[in-house]
Amino acid sequence: MRLSYLPSEFQKALPILEKIKAAGFEAYFVGGSVRDALLNRPIHDVDIASSSYPEETKQIFERTVDIGIEHGTVLVLENGGEYEVTTFRTEDVYVDYRRPSSVSFVRSLEEDLKRRDFTVNAFALNENAEIIDKFNKENSDIEIEMNTVPDAGTVLTSRISSGDIPVIFSDFPTQTQFKQKVANGYVQDLSDQDFLKNVNESALEMTKQEDGGYYALPYSRNYIGVYYNKKTFEDNGLEIPTTWEEFTAVCDKLKEAGITPVGMHGKDPARVGHLFQAATVAWAPDGVETIGKVVSGEAKIEGDEEFKNVFEKMNTLLSYANEDALALSDTTCYENFVNGEYAMTITGSYARGTIQSINPNLEIGVFPLPNDTYDDTKCLSGIDAAICVSAQASDKEKDAAYRFLSYLADPENAQIFCDNDGAPSCITGVTSNDDGIKPMVDMINAGKTHDWMASTIDNNVTTDLYNVVQGFWANKDVDAVMKDMDASIEISSAQ
């Protein structure tokens, strides 16, 4: 498998690989960053695996930190970045499902890959952008070229319009733009593929298209929730709140203890928008449908009691947040949360890996943003990872693609993905090994969810609403933001 474009995060880290190789050792990019590149997700930390032993790694670089040297990991400080370099190793049994009882350093990448999983850690990417993974080894007759590029959605649209559709691609099968791809005949119908039988019914039904067919392998679910520091909750005698009243009581108790209850980040309108979507789903049961009616000219946001409730609650939420919320980036907010400055932060499942990478030992949990009662609460959740096949691929290419998707849909491989990715799986029989996300999983499994707005509303409309809500964070004027939403929708829906 090969990436035709090496992401900038990897390019910046190339000098690290080059130094290690110049010293006579092997070195590869591995782990979640490679997985994220394959799935066209934002790349965060770039990790490196090497045949150099820890003391040898430390001799190569001037500035290093022993962050897990007993397990072969050295933090290299170079070129303004921080890179974890871990020695190739084999492992004994895992005594607590997270850490091996013992490790043995080895010089062989192949031996190291045996302990890693397919979707996260069995990917090894070198500076020539080659991907070495166990699927490729088990299927030597298949060669898959993978493209990972900035703004993957735009690039995919461009490739489709030029007739150059990738054989396999990731997409969001519940969104309106995907439905248009299906209607135009760009995506292969997978309805008769046996591997779809491994997908749980609720997830599969979310992807059903207008013709009743299934055109993607849904692999994992995403969500927006309230992340919390378990130790902070325990130290202050707090329980997970399941109603809005309980939530505000938790926030009040934290304020009395001198702790900022909620860390919020509003610098990026998209992140503001994600919270807005979660708040709409939680506090306005028919809110997404109301926006749809406004788009079609059948309703108004101004005067709508549900949205008035949304923004009044959001004002309350902001009163419990950090004072610099509007200017704060998501990464800084996560760092502050990890460092104990906030007891909670509201974000998506996509941030879990980033938060844990800052402090892997931090015990965190996540629960749904609560409404007035638990029975009335829904959480924002959609299909996250979903893999599709081009309808324009040759029969030989399709057969190879089906083998790849069948491999992904195997419960054993899907369990490994779930264990490492942390997101709820769409594959039947796969369970999360993280008790911290149980409140979210329980709500998702109970069907108390609503999909993202993009499943029914044009992206231009939702993107413009993000900017409107960001303005609300500044002026906190409930009546004004409802009027501004109507005006924004009128303009964006006419484009």
Side-chain angles (χ1 to χ4, degrees):
M1 304 172 74
R2 177 178 290 271
L3 292 173
S4 62
Y5 172 89
L6 192 64
S8 61
E9 294 84 357
F10 292 132
Q11 293 180 28
K12 184 179 179 182
L14 281 179
I16 310 299
L17 266 69
E18 291 167 356
K19 276 194 174 184
I20 296 173
K21 295 185 73 174
F25 303 102
E26 294 181 55
Y28 301 86
F29 297 131
V30 296
S33 59
V34 182
R35 175 209 61 203
D36 290 338
L38 288 173
L39 295 176
N40 292 318
R41 294 176 175 174
I43 296 171
H44 299 290
D45 298 319
V46 174
D47 296 329
I48 296 168
S50 173
S51 61
S52 60
Y53 287 7
E55 292 302 325
E56 294 169 332
T57 301
K58 292 168 67 175
Q59 292 175 9
I60 298 171
F61 299 96
E62 292 184 4
R63 301 175 61 209
T64 63
V65 179
D66 297 349
I67 61 171
I69 197 165
E70 70 277 9
H71 293 121
T73 302
V74 174
L75 184 69
V76 173
L77 309 177
E78 189 95 349
N79 300 330
E82 298 180 354
Y83 303 94
E84 290 187 10
V85 179
T86 302
T87 300
F88 297 158
R89 71 194 193 200
T90 59
E91 297 176 343
D92 203 343
V93 295
Y94 276 62
V95 295
D96 59 0
Y97 303 100
R98 301 187 75 84
R99 287 175 288 273
S101 58
S102 65
V103 301
S104 299
F105 301 145
V106 295
R107 298 290 189 186
S108 166
L109 171 65
E110 183 174 327
E111 287 299 313
D112 182 81
L113 289 178
K114 288 179 180 179
R115 72 178 177 85
R116 298 175 181 269
D117 69 278
F118 166 69
T119 56
V120 181
N121 296 320
F123 287 128
L125 175 66
N126 68 15
E127 68 272 27
N128 294 316
E130 290 183 47
I131 297 212
I132 304 171
D133 60 66
K134 74 186 186 89
F135 172 81
N136 201 42
K137 195 158 190 174
E138 294 174 8
N139 299 270
S140 58
D141 59 322
I142 298 176
E143 182 178 356
I144 302 175
E145 181 176 286
M146 303 291 290
N147 295 323
T148 177
V149 295
D151 197 4
T154 300
V155 172
L156 178 60
T157 300
S158 176
R159 290 190 62 171
I160 288 175
S161 65
S162 63
D164 181 28
I165 308 176
V167 176
I168 301 171
F169 58 92
S170 60
D171 211 330
F172 298 95
T174 66
Q175 294 188 358
T176 55
Q177 53 83 16
F178 183 83
K179 297 172 184 176
Q180 191 60 48
K181 293 185 184 109
V182 169
N184 290 335
Y186 298 135
V187 190
Q188 179 65 30
D189 189 345
L190 305 178
S191 301
D192 61 350
Q193 295 299 315
D194 286 341
F195 55 73
L196 287 186
K197 295 177 182 178
N198 291 350
V199 180
N200 69 59
E201 186 176 352
S202 62
L204 190 61
E205 285 304 299
M206 287 183 72
T207 70
K208 182 185 287 187
Q209 300 301 303
E210 293 179 0
D211 63 359
Y214 303 99
Y215 291 76
L217 169 64
Y219 208 52
S220 64
R221 297 287 294 264
N222 54 40
Y223 56 79
I224 301 291
V226 184
Y227 284 78
Y228 70 99
N229 185 316
K230 287 187 175 182
K231 187 175 187 305
T232 300
F233 266 50
E234 181 180 346
D235 290 347
N236 289 274
L238 302 173
E239 300 288 338
I240 296 174
T242 59
T243 67
W244 179 250
E245 183 179 4
E246 291 175 358
F247 179 78
T248 57
V250 165
C251 291
D252 287 335
K253 190 168 183 179
L254 287 165
K255 285 187 72 172
E256 291 172 4
I259 302 170
T260 300
V262 185
M264 296 176 67
H265 45 89
K267 185 176 181 179
D268 181 356
R271 293 294 187 248
V272 174
H274 289 183
L275 174 56
F276 166 64
Q277 289 212 42
T280 298
V281 169
W283 302 330
D286 298 317
V288 176
E289 288 69 30
T290 298
I291 292 175
K293 291 178 180 179
V294 176
V295 170
S296 62
E298 302 173 25
K300 290 284 187 183
I301 300 295
E302 183 179 7
D304 185 272
E305 289 300 318
E306 282 196 336
F307 275 103
K308 182 178 180 182
N309 179 53
V310 167
F311 289 108
E312 286 178 346
K313 279 186 168 65
M314 194 174 293
N315 260 340
T316 301
L317 188 62
L318 287 165
S319 73
Y320 290 121
N322 44 305
E323 293 183 358
D324 61 348
L326 189 58
L328 203 65
S329 69
D330 54 357
T331 302
T332 303
C333 182
Y334 303 154
E335 290 173 349
N336 294 345
F337 168 66
V338 168
N339 293 331
E341 294 185 35
Y342 319 135
M344 298 175 281
T345 189
I346 303 173
T347 188
S349 48
Y350 49 75
R352 177 179 178 271
T354 301
I355 292 171
Q356 291 188 322
S357 70
I358 299 171
N359 181 1
N361 296 318
L362 180 70
E363 293 190 12
I364 58 174
V366 58
F367 58 85
L369 185 64
N371 198 2
D372 294 332
T373 70
Y374 182 79
D375 290 341
D376 291 336
T377 299
K378 288 187 177 181
C379 70
L380 177 64
S381 175
I383 301 299
D384 192 19
I387 315 301
C388 312
V389 177
S390 167
Q392 298 182 6
S394 67
D395 289 342
K396 183 177 180 180
E397 290 171 329
K398 289 178 182 178
D399 287 341
Y402 297 154
R403 284 168 60 185
F404 181 70
L405 269 61
S406 180
Y407 184 91
L408 290 176
D410 182 280
E412 181 179 350
N413 295 322
Q415 181 67 60
I416 296 170
F417 181 96
C418 179
D419 291 345
N420 288 274
D421 184 69
S425 179
C426 295
I427 304 302
T428 301
V430 174
T431 58
S432 173
N433 66 355
D434 183 357
D435 288 339
I437 70 169
K438 188 177 184 300
M440 299 303 304
V441 173
D442 287 346
M443 186 154 285
I444 289 171
N445 289 342
K448 298 177 63 176
T449 65
H450 196 295
D451 203 353
W452 294 73
M453 292 180 183
S455 64
T456 55
I457 299 169
D458 186 89
N459 277 328
N460 290 329
V461 174
T462 56
T463 300
D464 288 348
L465 287 178
Y466 292 174
N467 293 307
V468 172
V469 177
Q470 187 183 45
F472 170 75
W473 280 34
N475 60 42
K476 300 179 175 61
D477 189 326
V478 173
D479 292 333
V481 71
M482 294 171 71
K483 291 180 181 178
D484 291 344
M485 284 178 65
D486 283 329
S488 174
I489 293 172
E490 183 178 2
I491 295 170
S492 57
S493 60
Q495 295 175 350

